[in-house]
């Protein structure tokens, strides 16, 4: 049997423009042979791969990649329950209800996690960067959704292999949570250290991710300097939140040149592979929709409620979620509405391997 290596990943994912840029392959490579350079369409290799050089079995990069053997659900993934939620603590620069940060802060307080991988941002340049945090204060400082790309899962090595932590939370978009699912379900020896250390995955609703060229486009086309931006949001259109001006709203089709190519292959809007999924679509102002997908996710959510970090209520606008979800999956709105049902009626995960 041929040994799988980064060359198989290159042939199947990188060369076909399917790479989502999640960084999982970079983060789990035991020889640190994979890296991103200035052209971030996909990773590159320095060819110091123990498979290709020494014929030693590994395949960590291949089995961590969410695009190597893709799966998708027939609907919106497993749904145990759906809530509208809002943080009960102050979260500066929070996206919508600030619930993701509050759930993580509660997890740190209760010692349920000893670290979290989140997407940070340089608030002057708006450049996104993977961030590994170990305190509630650090989580709250990193609050806010990021729509500019960075390979967040390359931080896996620092968090787990280097610091030897054992209770990690990971926050990310659908491609990130799909990579996390593959790692957690893998039987590859090299991935066991990561598999055993990931305690919970928190997924974000996502239509697409943009490259750094988005910031240049906003500067040249609209006169917006990066330090004037307080955040972004996507609700059928791209919303640029500004610190001292009214928000700028742009049609998503106008930003196609800034969209990551790999996003074209994604049909998951609601992070179906996560333990908990979060999004502003379908929520009332200042609130967040939370989809509970696993018992672990439910435990983290109810813990945050019990400790007084969040409040949970009903009132989710399912039609808004179904509208965007249907467009991303390429199915009729009516079908999406029939699949996105109230708790107890939702379909379980059905895997389809391509």
């Amino acid at each position: 049997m041929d040994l799988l290596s980064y060359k198989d990943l290159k042939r199947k994912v990188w060369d076909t423009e399917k790479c989502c840029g999640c960084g999982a392959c970079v983060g789990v490579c035991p020889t640190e042979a994979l890296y991103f350079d200035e052209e971030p369409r996909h990773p590159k290799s320095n060819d110091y791969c123990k498979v290709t050089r020494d014929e030693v079995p590994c395949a960590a990069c291949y089995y961590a990649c969410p695009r190597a053997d893709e799966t998708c659900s027939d609907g919106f993934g497993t749904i145990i329950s759906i809530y509208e939620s809002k943080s009960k603590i102050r979260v500066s620069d929070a996206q919508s209800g600030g619930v993701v940060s509050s759930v993580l802060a509660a997890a740190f307080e209760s010692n349920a996690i000893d670290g979290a991988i989140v997407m940070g941002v340089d608030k002057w340049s708006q450049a996104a960067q993977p961030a590994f945090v170990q305190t509630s204060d650090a989580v709250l400082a990193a609050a806010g959704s990021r729509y500019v790309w960075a390979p967040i899962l390359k931080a896996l090595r620092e968090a787990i292999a280097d610091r030897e932590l054992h209770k990690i939370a990971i926050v990310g978009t659908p491609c990130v949570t799909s990579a996390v699912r593959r790692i957690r379900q893998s039987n590859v020896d090299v991935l066991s250290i990561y598999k055993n250390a990931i305690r919970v995955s928190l997924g974000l609703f996502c239509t697409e991710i943009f490259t750094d060229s988005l910031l240049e486009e906003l500067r040249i086309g609209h006169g917006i300097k990066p330090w004037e931006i307080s955040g972004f949001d996507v609700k059928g259109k791209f919303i640029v939140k500004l610190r001292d001006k009214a928000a700028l709203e742009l049609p998503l089709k106008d930003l196609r040149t800034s969209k990551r190519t790999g996003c074209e292959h994604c049909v998951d809007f609601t992070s179906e592979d996560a333990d908990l999924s979060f999004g502003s679509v379908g929520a009332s102002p200042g609130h967040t929709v939370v989809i509970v997908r696993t018992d672990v996710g439910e435990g983290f959510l109810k813990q945050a409620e019990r400790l007084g970090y969040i409040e949970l209520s009903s009132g989710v606008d399912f039609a808004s979620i179904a509208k965007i979800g249907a467009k991303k999956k390429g199915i009729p709105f009516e079908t999406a509405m029939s699949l996105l049902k109230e708790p107890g009626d939702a379909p379980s995960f059905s895997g389809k391997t391509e």
Side-chain angles (χ1 to χ4, degrees), residues 186-197:
S186 173
N187 293 318
V188 174
D189 287 344
V190 180
L191 292 178
S192 62
I193 183 177
Y194 302 102
K195 171 182 178 177
N196 296 332

Side-chain angles (χ1 to χ4, degrees), residues 67 174-175 205-209 259 263-270 322-331:
R67 299 287 168 81
C175 54
F205 289 11
C206 180
T207 53
E208 58 247 311
I209 291 293
K259 180 178 176 179
C263 293
E264 298 290 345
H265 299 274
C266 178
V267 297
D268 182 0
F269 170 55
T270 59
K323 181 179 179 180
I324 298 177
K327 184 176 181 180
K328 197 163 186 182
K329 284 185 177 293
I331 60 177

Side-chain angles (χ1 to χ4, degrees), residues 110-129:
S110 62
N111 198 35
I113 60 174
D114 54 12
I117 297 174
V118 301
M119 188 69 82
V121 67
D122 182 327
K123 294 187 178 181
W124 179 258
S125 68
Q126 291 299 314
Q129 52 205 14

Side-chain angles (χ1 to χ4, degrees), residues 243-263:
R243 300 189 185 280
D244 301 313
K245 304 176 186 177
L248 174 67
E249 298 184 357
L250 300 170
L252 287 170
K253 62 180 178 62
D254 291 353
L255 302 176
R256 285 176 182 166
T257 57
S258 300
K259 180 178 176 179
R260 275 193 61 86
T261 305
C263 293

